[in-house]
Every structure is written in structure tokens, then in C-alpha cells.
Amino acid sequence: MAVVMVAGLLGLAGCASEQGAAGAERTDGAAGAPTAASPSPSTPSSPTPATPPSGSPRPSPVPVTGPDQLLVTMEVTGGFAGVQKEVALRGDGTVHTTDKGERAVRRTSAAQFAELRTLLGDPALDDVSDFTKNMQAADLFQYTLRFGGRTVRTDLSAEEPALDRLVHALSAWLPK
């Protein structure tokens, strides 16, 4: 019994520290930008691998039907500084970004493209609510994602691991 309680408490402590770390990545009120460790602007590092909970189906990359296919768009708005940025992933492996009217186009590596498509193919995204917002919180970033024929709006206040991984992977491509 004591071993089970200790294991449970350690599990809760791990969740709390993960939540604290994830919460710290959400916004930086002073800078108005995500505070996660940022890859270099020229080549984002590979996103966190899509690992479903045990017993869940493994994600498979979403199919690409052509180079002009729009796989996902994500708009980031709000925060203390009034951010407005957008990132779009196309079927040819290019990432298009917009920040303060400045546009940029960069190409993913084959591994980065496969990983982003795998994050998009995570079956857990099917269970994500189309709208989650913490009405008591002020100045959180608002994320609007369009993929697979749906629109998801979130401020990342709800724990949605598959969505969080996708948002963080796409955010790595945004200008800093």
C-alpha cells in the first residue's frame, strides 16, 4: 500500500513539474513571445516525437496529395505585446510564415516534414475540443489551427498533449 501511494505521489509530482514547465513555455508577459528554448530561425530542430499513450494507436503521417496542399495553418495572436504571427505547412515541405507583415518561406528537411505530418496524423487530435479557453486568464496567446477540415482554437490552458506537441512544433518555425 505504501509503495503504491509513493508511486502515485511521484507520478503527481512529475505531472506538476511538467505542467509548470509547459506553463512557462506558454507566454512571457514582458516579451509577449513563447519562452520555450528556440531553435535557430534558419533551421528549426525536429519537433518532439509524437508518442501516444500506451494502448493508443500510433500516429502515421498525414498523406500529401500535392505540392500546393495546405496541410496546416496556425495563427498566434494576443499576449501582452499583441502578437500576430502565422505559420503554414504546405505539401511540398515548405513552411510559410508571416510576422508583422514580413513574410518568409523556408524548406523543411525530409525528417522534419515527416515529423510534422506525423504530429498532424496523431489520432488523439480527433478528441481535441474545437474551442478551449481559460476565461479567467488574461494575456494568453490564442492559437487558431486549421488542419484536416477543422478549426481548433485554444490558449493551451487545457492539457491536450497531441495538440500541445503540434503547436510547439509549428511555433519553432515562427520568427523570434
Side-chain angles (χ1 to χ4, degrees), residues 1-166:
M1 176 86 171
V3 171
V4 172
M5 288 177 50
V6 169
L9 289 173
L10 288 174
L12 288 174
C15 289
S17 67
E18 287 175 14
Q19 272 185 326
E25 294 178 11
R26 305 263 192 255
T27 61
D28 175 0
T35 58
S38 305
S40 74
S42 60
T43 308
S45 62
S46 292
T48 306
T51 52
S54 59
S56 297
R58 289 210 36 90
S60 58
V62 295
V64 175
T65 58
D68 293 332
Q69 178 185 5
L70 189 57
L71 296 171
V72 61
T73 63
M74 180 177 76
E75 183 179 9
V76 183
T77 59
F80 183 72
V83 168
Q84 184 163 2
K85 298 180 181 186
E86 188 171 327
V87 60
L89 176 65
R90 299 191 85 65
D92 63 357
T94 58
V95 175
H96 299 249
T97 60
T98 306
D99 180 25
K100 300 175 189 159
E102 297 292 321
R103 296 178 181 267
V105 178
R106 292 181 288 166
R107 181 163 298 283
T108 62
S109 69
Q112 291 166 328
F113 189 51
E115 185 63 32
L116 288 167
R117 291 178 38 235
T118 301
L119 289 169
L120 282 166
D122 192 332
L125 288 174
D126 295 340
D127 298 329
V128 171
S129 173
D130 288 343
F131 183 81
T132 56
K133 184 174 181 180
N134 180 345
M135 301 309 253
Q136 281 75 40
D139 296 328
L140 291 178
F141 287 126
Q142 305 299 309
Y143 300 87
T144 302
L145 291 96
R146 291 176 182 84
F147 60 93
R150 65 187 288 215
T151 300
V152 175
R153 291 178 176 88
T154 183
D155 59 8
L156 297 180
S157 60
E159 188 173 325
E160 297 286 356
L163 184 61
D164 291 348
R165 285 189 295 271
L166 179 58

